[in-house]
């Protein structure tokens, strides 16, 4: 039995496979562009230089100072460099931070974007941009923000450190879990969500055992794409609200915060979304929150907010913010309920629904 729904497909062109980095030049030309502006973080500057060499005259300039949470000052510096080199498109190589910078430029000048995604964050297939200015993170959605072309080359992810791979993979799973109980969920996004969770649940333990396992890397990147599409297609709820609040108000790291909170938000919402979560819960022995926690333990993922340097005194403030302007959520968002959830996540104990 299927309820009524609205489904809108998303327009990204996706190129997936080992060695697909070689197709960047052809994709620039396919967009009728000639002068690409290349982006990365300083950590991936060598990979970006190698890509620039490969692109030859198609590479007009580069910028290697992308930073977490897309500071507006960094975007302004990058835009000045973009204009100075006469670029006509963006090529972003990296995770959510680099992709965020490309999106921030495109939001302002509508430049076409080619993104080579090297983490599992999922930002490359969304029309969402979060940016920070004066200590405040705000989010905008706009069709100009969604990259036109996404390249997934699993060979580029074999060097993603295991800890980052695990946290990023759980970050992706969080999009899918929330997508299952989203108020605007539809049969297509729910299928993508379940398949995304399945792929990551299978791949992440294999990556922990052997980070160079290309088959596992490929499966994880495939899962992250599906989870990213879910994030870009339906509304997110309590989990993303809490992570957004903890990231913005307490400056916690993005992927690790998602990884720690996911078992707890899933456990909190499970009693109110039994049917929607059933296909995911079935993969975890019927107990989604507990099963996700056990997976995090097995993967060596961060388990406790206190280990991210959070002060316990901040939990009351975060609970206040979460109750104020809550996102839609299957279960009532009460201050006591959220404080209990946050306290369990702070201590890193196995989650309960209470
Ligand atoms: P990140 O992009 O900050 O990457 C973390 C570090 O890993 C960086 O130094 C990066 O250069 C490095 N790295 C990335 N890929 C690598 C690889 N394959 N090998 C070696 N090193 C690699 O981390 P992230 O978690 O991908 O992104 C977090 C940011 O993305 C946050 O600002 C978050 O808000 C944003 N985000 C946005 C959306 C959206 O839809 N707007 C979705 C998810 C995340």
């Amino acid at each position: 039995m299927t309820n009524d729904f609205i489904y809108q497909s998303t327009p990204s062109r996706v190129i997936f496979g080992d060695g697909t980095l070689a197709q960047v030049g052809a994709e620039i030309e396919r967009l009728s562009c000639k002068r690409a502006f290349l982006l990365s973080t300083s950590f991936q500057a060598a990979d970006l230089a190698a890509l620039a060499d490969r692109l030859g005259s198609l590479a007009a300039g580069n910028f290697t100072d992308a930073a977490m949470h897309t500071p507006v000052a960094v975007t302004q510096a990058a835009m000045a460099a973009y204009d100075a080199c006469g670029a006509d498109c963006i090529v972003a190589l990296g995770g959510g931070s680099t992709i965020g910078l490309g999106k921030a430029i495109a939001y302002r000048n509508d430049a076409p974007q080619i993104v080579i995604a090297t983490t599992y964050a999922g930002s490359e297939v969304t029309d969402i941009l979060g940016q920070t200015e004066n200590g405040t993170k705000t989010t905008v959605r706009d069709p100009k923000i969604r990259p036109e072309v996404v390249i997934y080359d699993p060979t580029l992810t074999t060097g993603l450190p295991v800890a980052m791979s695990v946290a990023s993979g759980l970050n992706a799973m969080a999009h899918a879990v929330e997508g299952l109980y989203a108020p605007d969920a539809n049969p297509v996004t729910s299928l993508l969500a379940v398949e995304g969770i399945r792929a990551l649940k299978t791949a992440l333990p294999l990556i922990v055992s052997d980070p160079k396992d290309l088959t596992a890397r490929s499966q994880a990147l495939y899962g992250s794409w599906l989870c990213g599409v879910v994030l870009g297609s339906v509304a997110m709820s309590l989990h993303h609200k809490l992570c957004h609040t903890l990231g913005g108000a307490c400056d916690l790291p993005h992927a690790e915060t998602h990884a720690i909170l996911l078992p707890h938000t899933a456990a909190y919402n499970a009693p109110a979304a039994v049917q929607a979560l059933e296909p995911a819960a079935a993969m975890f022995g019927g107990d989604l929150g507990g099963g996700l926690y056990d997976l995090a333990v097995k993967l060596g993922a961060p388990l406790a907010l206190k280990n991210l340097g959070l002060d316990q005194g901040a939990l009351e403030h975060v609970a206040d913010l979460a109750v104020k302007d809550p996102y839609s959520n299957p279960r009532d968002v009460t201050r006591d309920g959220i404080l209990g959830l946050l306290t369990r996540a702070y201590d890193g104990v196995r989650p309960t629904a209470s």
Side-chain angles (χ1 to χ4, degrees), residues 55-138:
L55 291 176
S57 62
L58 286 173
N62 66 35
F63 185 91
T64 57
D65 289 328
M68 184 86 82
H69 304 310
T70 329
V72 169
V74 174
T75 301
Q76 286 164 345
M79 290 206 68
Y82 180 100
D83 291 339
C85 71
D88 59 8
C89 66
I90 295 161
V91 172
L93 171 79
S97 296
T98 303
I99 295 165
L101 177 57
K103 289 168 145 185
I105 297 171
Y107 177 54
R108 290 163 172 80
N109 69 7
D110 204 13
Q113 304 171 69
I114 297 171
V115 167
I116 305 131
T118 65
T119 70
Y120 308 133
S123 176
E124 64 280 356
V125 283
T126 80
D127 63 357
I128 308 164
L129 167 66
Q131 33 187 8
T132 41
E133 191 168 29
N134 303 324
T136 305
K137 186 163 182 174
T138 51

Side-chain angles (χ1 to χ4, degrees), residues 57 65 84 117 142 152 155 157 169 206 219 221 232 247 318 333:
S57 62
D65 289 328
D142 190 287
Y152 291 108
T155 57
T157 62
L206 299 173
Q219 193 170 29
L221 205 52
V318 174
V333 176

Side-chain angles (χ1 to χ4, degrees), residues 191-342:
L191 284 170
L192 298 178
V194 172
E195 175 67 354
I197 294 169
R198 187 201 59 74
L200 285 158
K201 180 176 181 286
T202 306
L204 292 177
L206 299 173
I207 290 170
V208 171
S209 306
D210 177 8
K212 305 266 178 235
D213 179 340
L214 204 49
T215 306
R217 287 292 188 179
S218 184
Q219 193 170 29
L221 205 52
Y222 161 71
S224 76
W225 165 46
L226 301 181
C227 294
V229 173
V230 174
L231 171 69
S233 303
V234 297
M236 295 290 111
S237 300
L238 174 67
H239 172 87
H240 282 74
K241 169 82 180 181
L242 286 178
C243 291
H244 197 238
T245 306
L246 283 162
C250 309
D251 201 26
L252 295 194
H254 177 85
E256 290 82 354
T257 305
H258 274 271
I260 292 170
L261 280 189
L262 177 60
H264 300 279
T265 52
Y268 184 86
N269 278 332
V274 174
Q275 201 184 344
L277 288 175
E278 194 279 326
M283 284 186 248
F284 290 88
D287 173 8
L288 184 58
L292 283 165
Y293 182 86
D294 296 343
L295 175 66
V297 171
K298 179 172 153 188
L299 296 173
L303 296 173
L305 291 174
K306 66 182 174 194
N307 294 337
L308 298 185
L310 183 68
D311 176 13
Q312 188 161 16
L315 298 184
E316 301 260 355
H317 179 52
V318 174
D320 287 339
L321 292 175
V323 178
K324 209 170 99 186
D325 306 326
Y327 294 7
S328 65
N329 195 61
R331 183 172 163 190
D332 277 354
V333 176
T334 63
R335 191 180 183 284
D336 283 354
I338 299 310
L339 193 56
L341 184 168
L342 288 169

